[in-house]
Amino acid sequence: IRFGGWLSSTRREDGAVFEHGPRGIRPAGAVGRNTLNMVEDLGLESEVLPVTYDHVASKNRYLYVGGQLHKMPSGLGGMMCTVPPFSRPLVLSVLREILISRGKEDDESVHSFVSRRLGTELADIAVDSLCRGVFAGDCRRLSVRSCLPILYNAEKARGSVVLGMLLGAGPEPDVPTSALAKRASVENWAQWSLKRGLQNLPEALEDRMKNVGHVEVHRDSPIRGLSTNGVNWEVSILVTWISHFPALLVCLWGGGVLALASALPSAAQTLSQQLREISTVTVAVVNLEYEGFVLPVKGFGHLVPSSEDGGLLGVVYDSVPFPQHNRSGGPSTRLTVMMGGAWFHEVFGKPEEVTKELLLERAIQAVTSHLGITTPPVWNVVALLQDCIPQYYLGHWKRLEMMRKYIKDHNLPLTLVGASYEGVSVNDVIFSGRVAAEGLVGKI
């Protein structure tokens, strides 16, 4: 078993690196600084591959609508003009938004929120695509309060998303700025990766844990059961019990909540049921490599709204932001096709019955249709990430409140950490782990 969850990189002997999960991390905000601080603590500064905001991969992002690629508007000029696939200048939606009254509901779908504040067209095309790219989810079911809290909080604090973004919608967590985080700010990074791929991050963490001298690392040891007397925990792993822990941090990504729900003692069945109600989706990730530079455009990639193709979420042009991950010995193009998500069962059927050959064929068809690349790829790998992204549906915030209240009321020395609760990004997961640890041992 490999540590790192969905952070998974294939490294070939010719120098090529292919990501099967997250491929770039944003440095912005407190959670972004926190991750960069950890990268520096692990001594990985020299391994960082930054992409600045003036890089073509940052400036050029595309939507595939109406059977063709459209560059997303960027900068003031793009906001002032009518840019297909939109039917009017985006600045009109922005100006209108300032005049819209606050919402009165405790929660709202992302689509409903954006439709109300910025118009249906932006919700149907841009935000629909964004939610598919980030959450592999349906914006008509996802909660704006849980998925995009920066927008929800901006409206609550300022009565307007635009004003909230300009004036601030509340204080950020207090996270110091390391030398690496300062460099990211000065150099205006938009995202970053590592020379050996993002899997290098959990590998460095594993090495650090093994070397500190007071950490036990158990591989190939599925948790069979948990037992607590209200003070200490005993954890059953495979053939033995490990005891006695005064507190338990359960850090799981994606569908791991089901494993936790099954392992909890029978006395905590209410909590188990609440955990089981957190939905997840499955994503197929197909990495393709082509001879030469075959892209018709340069940019980060393109997203596809659900109205265009439910099964195809988007295509990332990996060779553009991170050419350092290309093979040595001649030009090549690396692409990643992402498919399924909330539409996986509808389009492909049951994940356990779908063949990799079918997924590969579908990915190549998309590249040919969307990008006009007719030559066959020279290399590929197909990864099926089952239950990889939790879905924060309407009322997710209330479920979290109920679970935490249950834990507190029943005096369970338990902290829930990971993507299933308050943020699916790498930054969110790392920061939630830090906050939970500080809650137990004090400020780190």
Side-chain angles (χ1 to χ4, degrees):
I1 290 179
R2 172 189 55 79
F3 286 101
W6 302 117
L7 289 178
S8 176
S9 311
T10 290
R11 302 152 180 152
R12 285 204 322 235
E13 291 184 359
D14 60 5
V17 177
F18 297 86
E19 300 284 15
H20 312 305
R23 61 209 54 247
I25 299 177
R26 292 175 57 83
V31 295
R33 290 197 305 276
N34 178 71
T35 302
L36 287 174
N37 293 350
M38 184 178 72
V39 169
E40 182 174 300
D41 289 341
L42 293 170
L44 294 174
E45 307 99 302
S46 63
E47 297 296 307
V48 173
L49 299 176
V51 179
T52 60
Y53 273 103
D54 60 4
H55 191 284
V56 66
S58 303
K59 294 190 293 185
N60 294 352
R61 294 171 181 261
Y62 297 87
L63 294 173
Y64 185 79
V65 180
Q68 59 184 310
L69 291 177
H70 300 277
K71 182 177 176 293
M72 286 286 289
S74 61
L76 186 58
M79 297 284 289
M80 300 296 289
C81 303
T82 298
V83 179
F86 305 106
S87 62
R88 64 176 190 166
L90 296 186
V91 69
L92 297 179
S93 297
V94 171
L95 293 175
R96 170 184 175 273
E97 194 276 338
I98 297 174
L99 305 176
I100 302 296
S101 302
R102 280 187 179 90
K104 298 179 180 179
E105 301 296 326
D106 285 336
D107 202 357
E108 191 174 0
S109 76
V110 173
H111 186 275
S112 171
F113 180 91
V114 175
S115 294
R116 177 171 57 81
R117 300 215 63 89
L118 291 164
T120 303
E121 187 175 65
L122 271 175
D124 287 346
I125 300 175
V127 172
D128 178 282
S129 301
L130 173 69
C131 286
R132 283 159 60 83
V134 175
F135 301 97
D138 185 350
C139 66
R140 292 161 181 80
R141 299 184 66 193
L142 294 173
S143 155
V144 71
R145 179 168 181 166
S146 298
C147 293
L148 298 173
I150 189 171
L151 302 187
Y152 177 85
N153 292 333
E155 183 189 46
K156 292 300 180 186
R158 304 290 183 179
S160 160
V161 170
V162 174
L163 292 179
M165 299 294 281
L166 290 174
L167 302 175
E172 273 199 330
D174 182 21
V175 175
T177 303
S178 65
L180 185 61
K182 183 177 181 180
R183 179 187 157 202
S185 177
V186 170
E187 296 179 4
N188 207 23
W189 295 2
Q191 60 173 315
W192 58 271
S193 184
L194 297 170
K195 291 178 182 177
R196 289 171 47 76
L198 288 181
Q199 187 178 320
N200 199 14
L201 187 58
E203 288 171 344
L205 280 168
E206 181 184 358
D207 289 342
R208 175 65 60 85
M209 286 190 297
K210 288 179 177 178
N211 292 330
V212 294
H214 52 268
V215 175
E216 293 182 27
V217 178
H218 296 268
R219 287 179 177 270
D220 303 306
S221 304
I223 294 177
R224 297 299 177 85
L226 299 170
S227 176
T228 180
N229 57 12
V231 178
N232 290 312
W233 285 93
E234 286 190 334
V235 181
S236 170
I237 57 169
L238 204 57
V239 295
T240 187
W241 286 88
I242 305 176
S243 60
H244 293 272
F245 301 109
L248 192 63
L249 294 180
V250 183
C251 309
L252 301 166
W253 201 320
V257 289
L258 297 179
L260 173 61
S262 299
L264 284 171
S266 57
Q269 285 307 298
T270 299
L271 179 59
S272 295
Q273 181 57 39
Q274 291 166 343
L275 287 166
R276 294 178 194 278
E277 291 172 0
I278 299 175
S279 299
T280 57
V281 296
T282 294
V283 178
V285 177
V286 181
N287 301 99
L288 302 171
E289 182 183 39
Y290 292 84
E291 289 282 0
F293 189 83
V294 295
L295 285 168
V297 295
K298 283 189 175 182
F300 181 78
H302 69 263
L303 293 173
V304 184
S306 58
S307 57
E308 188 76 26
D309 185 336
L312 189 74
L313 305 175
V315 182
V316 182
Y317 314 157
D318 298 300
S319 289
V320 179
F322 300 113
Q324 303 91 336
H325 287 165
N326 286 350
R327 71 184 186 196
S328 58
S332 63
T333 302
R334 292 173 302 106
L335 305 175
T336 300
V337 182
M338 298 171 294
M339 300 180 292
W343 297 263
F344 194 98
H345 288 79
E346 174 188 334
V347 175
F348 299 106
K350 296 179 180 179
E352 56 271 18
E353 297 177 0
V354 177
T355 66
K356 290 189 175 182
E357 290 76 16
L358 173 65
L359 295 172
L360 175 60
E361 179 185 2
R362 180 71 176 82
I364 294 174
Q365 286 176 351
V367 169
T368 300
S369 174
H370 293 195
L371 298 171
I373 300 173
T374 56
T375 57
V378 294
W379 189 87
N380 71 81
V381 63
V382 180
L384 186 62
L385 313 185
Q386 290 192 241
D387 300 317
C388 62
I389 305 181
Q391 302 292 285
Y392 303 163
Y393 292 142
L394 284 176
H396 180 77
W397 67 277
K398 194 67 177 177
R399 181 177 294 111
L400 293 186
E401 280 192 355
M402 292 169 60
M403 288 193 294
R404 286 170 178 152
K405 185 177 186 300
Y406 181 93
I407 290 170
K408 182 179 178 181
D409 290 349
H410 290 77
N411 196 33
L412 290 176
L414 174 67
T415 304
L416 303 175
V417 180
S420 295
Y421 312 109
E422 291 181 296
V424 302
S425 76
V426 175
N427 284 331
D428 291 328
V429 172
I430 291 172
F431 188 73
S432 69
R434 181 186 183 93
V435 170
E438 289 179 344
L440 293 176
V441 301
K443 200 75 171 176
I444 299 173

